[in-house]
Amino acid sequence: MVFRGSAQARLDSQGRLKIPSTYRKLFSGEYGARVFITSTDGKSLRVYPLENWIRIEEKLLEMTSSSSVISPEKQEVHTRTSTAVTKFQTFTSVYGLETNLDKQGRASISVRLKNSMFPDGEFDCEVTVIGRPTYLEVWKESDITRKLEAIPISEEDSSILATYGI
């Protein structure tokens, strides 16, 4: 099962995210209550069903544990890949929290991530929850509006997608 579409949600005054009912059904039926909540930028958050996060960790381990000798031509790609993996692991570990959804479908967010997303300490706000295939992405309402305005789909983007039949 994949997460699709988007929904409005609320962060409460304690900084807990209430998962919208559309997505909560997937957690209760498909994935269970264990989640990993993290960020790659400190401005948005990602909610992974724990089993999906474990698959990512396995891929990262596979990417970094290659013990074969690398040709000089592939060394640059390997170095860039290692750097990207290290950055991803650093951000997701620093902001990450493994937790359970409570009976109301709420999930706690790490203190560090709350402080990064809400430097003024005002957690109680509306958010947009976006379904990605393997996780939920959550943005403050004001930030997602700016993001959408900043990244319109260009002619080049449309052309690239068209080559894949999209």
Side-chain angles (χ1 to χ4, degrees):
M1 302 288 281
V2 298
F3 298 103
R4 290 188 181 95
S6 68
Q8 300 307 113
R10 183 147 204 91
L11 280 173
D12 66 19
S13 60
Q14 296 174 349
R16 296 175 300 188
L17 172 68
K18 183 164 182 160
I19 304 292
S21 61
T22 305
Y23 303 122
R24 208 165 42 239
K25 293 174 190 173
L26 284 173
F27 284 104
S28 62
E30 179 83 13
Y31 295 115
R34 297 295 297 162
V35 296
F36 185 72
I37 300 177
T38 190
S39 180
T40 57
D41 61 7
K43 297 176 183 160
S44 63
L45 58 95
R46 294 180 177 192
V47 180
Y48 289 89
L50 188 57
E51 69 182 66
N52 290 356
W53 180 253
I54 290 170
R55 282 191 213 111
I56 289 172
E57 289 176 325
E58 290 166 351
K59 287 179 187 178
L60 292 169
L61 184 60
E62 185 180 302
M63 292 169 69
T64 58
S65 65
S66 175
S67 60
S68 61
V69 176
I70 299 172
S71 68
E73 302 84 40
K74 293 184 179 178
Q75 182 61 45
E76 182 185 344
V77 172
H78 178 73
T79 300
R80 288 192 348 246
T81 300
S82 294
T83 300
V85 167
T86 300
K87 286 179 184 180
F88 182 83
Q89 288 175 321
T90 299
F91 272 84
T92 57
S93 293
V94 166
Y95 290 124
L97 177 67
E98 184 178 330
T99 188
N100 284 316
L101 298 178
D102 68 14
K103 292 183 193 272
Q104 289 79 36
R106 295 176 303 196
S108 297
I109 301 166
S110 74
V111 172
R112 185 179 299 261
L113 183 51
K114 282 190 279 192
N115 290 339
S116 181
M117 284 183 71
F118 305 95
D120 59 3
E122 292 295 322
F123 309 126
D124 193 14
C125 70
E126 294 292 320
V127 293
T128 296
V129 181
I130 302 168
R132 301 291 188 200
T134 60
Y135 64 93
L136 297 173
E137 185 175 88
V138 182
W139 289 86
K140 291 189 296 187
E141 196 61 39
S142 58
D143 290 347
I144 192 63
T145 300
R146 280 194 296 274
K147 182 177 176 75
L148 290 172
E149 290 169 355
I151 59 162
I153 296 175
S154 69
E155 296 273 336
E156 181 182 0
D157 297 331
S158 294
S159 177
I160 291 168
L161 294 170
T163 63
Y164 292 94
I166 298 173

